[in-house]
Amino acid sequence: MSRSALIAILPGDGIGPEVTQQAVRVLREVAAQGGHQLAFEQGLIGGAAIDAEGSSMPQQTVSLCSRADAILLGAVGGPKWSDPEALVRPEQGLLALRKKFGLFANLRPVCPNPRLNDASPIKPEYLDGVDLLVVRELTGGIYFGDKERGEAHASDTCRYGIHEIERVVRLACALAQRRRGKLTSVDKANVLETSRLWRATVDRICGKEFPELEVEHLLVDAATMHLLTRPRDFDVIVTENMFGDILTDEASVLAGSLGLLPSASLAQSDGDHAFGLFEPIHGSAPDIAGLGVANPYGAILSAAMLLRHSLGLDAEALRVEAAVDAAIAAGALTRDLAGPGGVTTVAVGDAVIAAL
Ligand code: IPM
Ligand code: MN
């Protein structure tokens, strides 16, 4: 990274602002230590943007993101904007952003920290050695197909073009190659046409371009079970948009808290760095918003992914990840992990920065 990089900060709703603030502190510290120039500019998205501008993704936010090298986002949504009949919804802003910037590949790593085994309801012997990466297709499928709503009927169309499947499968294969060489593709090919196209495409691409990978197909219903009964067996899981949404919330149970998990949503790239949006996988948690107790590790680890995938600063990403491990080892745990004795969001940021 030679010139100054611009990071768009979109805090969003609920606990979004609290957790992104800690992630930005960590990014500033890493940049200062490594002599990197990072600039931050804040934009509105979600409910906060609806309140201020009447739109969940104002034009100003779009142009900020267009100028930026990467986006760091908190969370969107909340009861204030969740009337089922509402015309504008916070989530639309996030979906529009994903679509607008072609962020088709959503990477969600799950690597439980053994120190947090007690926070997971899963027996420790199942968690030992779990290290998996879900690659969720993010700009196609039922999220983006035609929608209809009549008086007495409603429909959401699930559509996939072959190119949309190919590019995400290729990326997942390339990632599997650099890991343990195993790819699990999850679909519902016994029922859905889109899944049959998905499965045929996985077989063709893996057979021709990645013959060294071990490839497994799982139906999504079975996958939900296998994810908890044999989580260690998974390396890279690739799946379509909605299955990936559901499976990654489930996978967070392995890590002990939804608050721990980061994600990267990447656009197509020609070289090593891809434009991306980085966000914790948790939601806006309105029940604890403003209390200063939200877990910022997911946001901080998303910032690490931003350093790695969009800025090409892998060493810095590893330093942030090591600092998170050290902070966890030092007992900097919010209440989702430690119960009522948990520390504050800011205290976790302090601990990570101290470890850096
Ligand atoms: C996620 C979220 C979003 C999704 C919502 C907020 C639209 O649940 O990133 O997993 O369903 O993709
Ligand atoms: Mn989700």
Side-chain angles (χ1 to χ4, degrees), residues 4-345:
S4 166
L6 175 63
I7 316 295
I9 306 292
L10 311 181
D13 308 319
I15 60 169
E18 299 162 58
V19 297
T20 37
Q21 200 173 21
Q22 299 314 310
V24 170
R25 281 181 71 201
V26 169
L27 283 174
R28 282 193 201 281
E29 179 67 23
V30 169
Q33 290 183 10
H36 304 292
Q37 302 294 318
L38 292 188
F40 301 91
E41 226 178 282
Q42 207 156 310
L44 290 166
I45 193 158
I50 294 175
D51 287 352
E53 308 278 340
S55 152
S56 57
M57 192 180 61
Q59 187 49 46
Q60 260 195 329
T61 301
V62 177
S63 62
L64 164 61
C65 294
S66 310
R67 285 185 285 118
D69 295 277
I71 306 166
L72 184 69
L73 188 140
V76 295
K80 182 173 176 196
W81 310 278
S82 57
D83 174 357
E85 301 302 330
L87 291 176
V88 277
R89 308 176 61 87
E91 292 80 3
Q92 288 164 345
L94 179 56
L95 297 177
L97 205 58
R98 290 172 179 171
K99 193 72 176 178
K100 164 97 191 148
F101 292 98
L103 306 171
F104 70 95
N106 183 222
L107 278 45
R108 298 187 166 186
V110 182
C111 191
N113 183 321
R115 286 180 201 276
L116 302 177
N117 278 358
D118 283 351
S120 173
I122 308 294
K123 293 194 187 91
E125 59 264 35
Y126 287 86
L127 299 175
D128 220 22
V130 171
D131 177 2
L132 61 90
L133 171 66
V134 178
V135 178
R136 167 188 175 194
E137 200 290 327
L138 203 61
T139 51
I142 199 165
Y143 274 59
F144 291 95
D146 290 341
K147 294 178 188 298
E148 241 185 70
R149 175 75 185 272
E151 281 289 313
H153 82 279
S155 69
D156 298 274
T157 308
C158 184
R159 189 186 181 284
Y160 267 106
I162 199 160
H163 167 70
E164 292 175 295
I165 304 173
E166 284 171 351
R167 62 184 180 178
V168 75
V169 168
R170 281 203 179 95
L171 191 128
C173 287
L175 291 166
Q177 241 174 359
R178 282 185 254 151
R179 293 171 49 104
R180 299 195 305 281
K182 181 168 177 195
L183 184 78
T184 303
S185 172
V186 174
D187 62 34
K188 187 71 183 173
N190 53 346
V191 177
L192 303 177
E193 277 309 332
T194 43
S195 281
R196 292 193 264 269
L197 181 64
W198 183 280
R199 194 175 280 218
T201 306
V202 169
D203 281 337
R204 175 169 50 79
I205 289 188
C206 292
K208 271 198 202 147
E209 301 172 33
F210 300 90
E212 70 287 3
L213 293 183
E214 180 193 340
V215 179
E216 151 186 75
H217 296 283
L218 281 182
L219 296 173
V220 64
D221 48 353
T224 59
M225 191 180 66
H226 291 280
L227 197 53
L228 298 184
T229 54
R230 55 176 189 96
R232 201 170 22 236
D233 291 352
F234 296 102
D235 180 12
V236 174
I237 297 174
V238 66
T239 189
E240 63 94 60
N241 202 346
M242 190 160 76
F243 297 161
D245 179 45
I246 297 166
L247 285 174
T248 49
D249 267 34
E250 187 195 9
S252 77
V253 171
L254 300 166
S257 169
L258 194 55
L260 290 166
L261 295 196
S263 82
S265 305
L266 304 178
Q268 197 79 52
S269 106
D270 303 328
D272 288 343
H273 316 165
F275 179 77
L277 180 153
F278 301 83
E279 56 175 325
I281 83 159
H282 62 68
S284 60
D287 52 322
I288 57 162
L291 300 182
V293 298
N295 182 343
Y297 281 123
I300 293 170
L301 291 168
S302 299
M305 294 186 88
L306 182 156
L307 291 165
R308 174 174 296 124
H309 294 285
S310 283
L311 304 185
L313 297 175
D314 199 50
E316 284 74 0
L318 288 167
R319 291 188 56 226
V320 172
E321 287 159 355
V324 165
D325 282 345
I328 289 173
L333 304 176
T334 39
R335 61 157 85 150
D336 51 316
L337 293 167
V343 305
T344 64
T345 309

